[in-house]
Amino acid sequence: MLDVKFLRENLEEVEKRLKTRGGAVDLSGFRELDSRRRKLLTEAEALRARRNAVSEEVGRLKREKKDASHLVAEMQEEGAKLKALETEATGVDEELNKFLLEVPNVPHTSVPVGNDSTDNPVIREWGERPDFKFSPLEHTDVGEALGILDFERAGKISGARFSLLMGAGALLERALINFMLDLHTREHGYTEVLPPFMVKSAALQGTGQLPKFREDLFKVEGSDHFLIPTAEVPVTNIYYDEIIDEERLPISYAAYTPCFRSEAGSYGKDVKGLIRQHQFEKVELVKFSHPDSSYDQLERLTANAEEVLKRLGLAYRVVTLCTGDMGFASAKTYDLEVWLPGQGKYREISSCSNFEDFQARRANIRFRPKGGKPRFVHTLNGSGLAVGRTLVAILENYQQEDGSVVVPGALRPYMGGLEKIVKKS
RNA sequence: GGAGGGUUAGGCUAAUGGUAAGUCACCGGUCUUGAAAACCGGCGGGCUAACGCCCUUGGGGGUUCGAGUCCCUCACCCUCCGCCA
C-alpha cells in the first residue's frame, strides 16, 4: 500500500510511473475521495470536541447536584447528527482503503521501463551450458523413463497439474530441500523457519495477494483459511502488527514449504511436466531490512539464491524485471533463469524482490529508530530456490545418453552417496 | 465439544459509568572531568504554521449526555474435562 500523504503530494508523478507497469491505472478518483474524507473527518471531529466538552460539563453539574437536563436534551439531538456523519465518514474511509489496496507499488527508479518479459535486460550470466552428443530430452521423458516421475497416476489421484515423485525422484526432491536450507542457514546467516501452510486473509492482505488476486488462491471451505501460495506470506507476516528493535535488523529467514496455486488463467501454459503445478515445493528467503540498506540486502539475497545454482553446477542468467513485468507489490525484482537443455530455453527458477515499505504498511511492520518514532521496515524475499524446477533442471542438465542422470556432487551427501540415478529393473 | 479465566500503548500493570493513572525499558535535557544517581521532559496514530483538537483499552455492534467499565457478537490466549496424531 502506498502512503496516502506521499500519494497526495506526488499524484501526477506516481500515476506516470504506475502507467509504465501497463494495465489500467486510474488514480483519478483519489483526489475527490481524499478531500471528501478529510472534510468529513474535520466536521466529525468538531462535533466530537463539542460533545466531549458538554459531557464533561454534564458530569460536573451532576456532581454538584445541579440540573443538566437542557444540555442532555441538546446532546441527544447532536448525537444523531454525529452518528450520521460518522457513518458517512466510515463509508468514505472504507472506499479509500479499498482503492489503495488495489494500487500497485511504484517501481524503483533503477527499474528499466518496458512492456513484458522480452524487455527484461540480462544483467549477468553464469556457467557453461552442457554440450550434448545426443539430443537432450525434456525432464518429463527423462523422469518417466527412469520411473521416478508419474503424471498419469497423479492425475488419477488429484487431476491435472499434480505430480508423483517415486523412489530416487522423491529422494532427490528431499535432498534439494535439505541442501538449500543447510546452505542458507549455515553459510548465509538465515534462520530456519517452518511456518503454517494455511493462513488467514489478513496475512494475505499484508503481503498483497488479497484483495486483488483471490482467484489465484486455494481457499479452505467454511473457514477464513487459504493454502499458502508461497512461504512469503506466513514468514513476512511473522511480525504483523509489531515493532522490531532496530538492532535486530536485518532479520533473515529461510523457510521450506509446499506452495499451492490455482493457476487460474494459465490454461494451456506449461501443461506438461513439473514447471507449473498446483502444488510445488519451495525454499524461500525473507528479509526484514532497515530502509537505508534494503537495496544492498536485495543484492545479497539474490547472490544467496544464485549460490544454490552455482553449487549445483547449473548455468543460469539474471534478469531485471522491467516495469511491465513486475509483480503487484514489488519495487524491484531480479529473476534467476536456469538453462533447460530439454526445452532449449532459460526458465525462471527464482524471483528476488524488494517491496520497500509496501507490505510493511499493509501488515503494519515497523521498527523503532534510536530515540525516534516507529517507521516501516522494508521487506524482501526471493526463492532460494523453487525446488520442483530445480529438479527439472537437474534431470535435463545431468541426463546421460543411456537415460541415467548423474547426481551433482553437492547433493550426494544428501542422497546416501548416490552418484547416478538409473532405471530400476 | 463442555466449564471457567483472560486480552489496556514496546514490556508489566491500575482505573465506584465522568473522559486512560503508574511503572520498567528507551530517547532528550539539567547536573558531572566522565558515568551513575537524582530531577525535568518525551516515549500509539491523525489534523494544524502554532495554540490546540480528534482518535486509540483484541475486532464489530448496542445502551448512555458520556463506555476500558454495562449488554450482544466474533476472534485469539490460558486452565481443567472429553476426544485425538
Side-chain angles (χ1 to χ4, degrees), chain A residues 12 34 37 62 73 132 161 219-220 235 249 277-278 285 302 315 330 338 369 404:
Chain A
E12 284 72 30
D34 183 48
R37 174 175 165 273
K62 289 206 170 171
F132 291 98
R161 293 205 191 285
K219 184 166 192 324
V220 176
V235 177
L249 300 176
Q277 301 268 290
H278 286 310
L285 306 175
T302 307
S330 175
V338 70
S404 66

Side-chain angles (χ1 to χ4, degrees), chain A residues 50-51 54 57 64-65 118 223-224 229 236 262 285 294 312 315 337 342 344-345 350-351 366 375 382 401 403 407 412:
Chain A
R50 166 136 180 81
R51 186 194 63 188
V54 171
E57 178 67 7
E64 293 173 2
K65 308 272 188 241
T118 60
S223 82
D224 183 39
T236 304
S262 74
L285 306 175
S294 65
L312 294 173
E337 298 180 336
K345 287 189 236 186
S350 171
S351 198
R366 297 172 294 172
R375 291 177 61 192
E401 192 159 15
V407 176
R412 289 178 193 171

Side-chain angles (χ1 to χ4, degrees), chain A residues 349-367:
Chain A
I349 197 164
S350 171
S351 198
C352 303
S353 303
N354 184 359
F355 303 93
E356 298 187 357
D357 63 8
F358 188 86
Q359 294 180 324
R361 182 170 285 109
R362 288 171 163 248
N364 196 27
I365 304 171
R366 297 172 294 172
F367 72 99

Side-chain angles (χ1 to χ4, degrees), chain A residues 198-272:
Chain A
M198 287 192 272
V199 292
K200 42 189 200 174
S201 53
L204 287 154
Q205 184 171 298
T207 34
Q209 286 78 13
L210 288 180
K212 214 171 175 179
F213 306 101
R214 178 173 285 259
E215 66 280 2
D216 296 335
L217 302 166
F218 284 113
K219 184 166 192 324
V220 176
E221 202 175 332
S223 82
D224 183 39
H225 288 117
F226 294 79
L227 300 183
I228 56 169
T230 159
E232 161 191 354
V233 181
V235 177
T236 304
N237 282 289
I238 286 174
Y239 294 111
Y240 189 97
D241 244 344
E242 287 196 37
I243 297 178
I244 304 171
D245 289 336
E246 186 177 20
E247 311 83 68
R248 291 186 59 204
L249 300 176
I251 296 173
S252 304
Y253 289 134
Y256 152 74
T257 69
C259 303
F260 304 92
R261 300 186 184 177
S262 74
E263 295 299 341
S266 67
Y267 308 108
K269 246 196 267 178
D270 302 309
V271 287
K272 214 176 103 184

Side-chain angles (χ1 to χ4, degrees), chain A residues 307-374:
Chain A
E307 186 63 24
V308 177
L309 290 165
K310 288 179 179 171
R311 302 255 178 134
L312 294 173
L314 294 167
Y316 70 91
R317 63 183 191 187
V318 183
V319 302
T320 304
L321 295 195
C322 70
T323 52
D325 201 26
M326 274 202 308
F328 174 76
S330 175
K332 181 168 187 173
T333 300
Y334 293 122
D335 268 11
L336 308 189
E337 298 180 336
V338 70
W339 174 250
L340 296 183
Q343 294 195 11
K345 287 189 236 186
Y346 283 99
R347 293 299 306 252
E348 176 192 337
I349 197 164
S350 171
S351 198
C352 303
S353 303
N354 184 359
F355 303 93
E356 298 187 357
D357 63 8
F358 188 86
Q359 294 180 324
R361 182 170 285 109
R362 288 171 163 248
N364 196 27
I365 304 171
R366 297 172 294 172
F367 72 99
R368 191 185 297 282
K370 214 163 172 53
K373 289 188 170 188

Side-chain angles (χ1 to χ4, degrees), chain A residues 180 184 230 282-285 301-302 304-306 308 336 348-353 381-387:
Chain A
M180 291 179 195
H184 296 311
T230 159
K282 186 154 61 72
V283 169
E284 184 77 357
L285 306 175
L301 186 146
T302 307
N304 296 151
E306 285 176 59
V308 177
L336 308 189
E348 176 192 337
I349 197 164
S350 171
S351 198
C352 303
S353 303
N381 68 57
S383 349
L385 306 165
V387 179

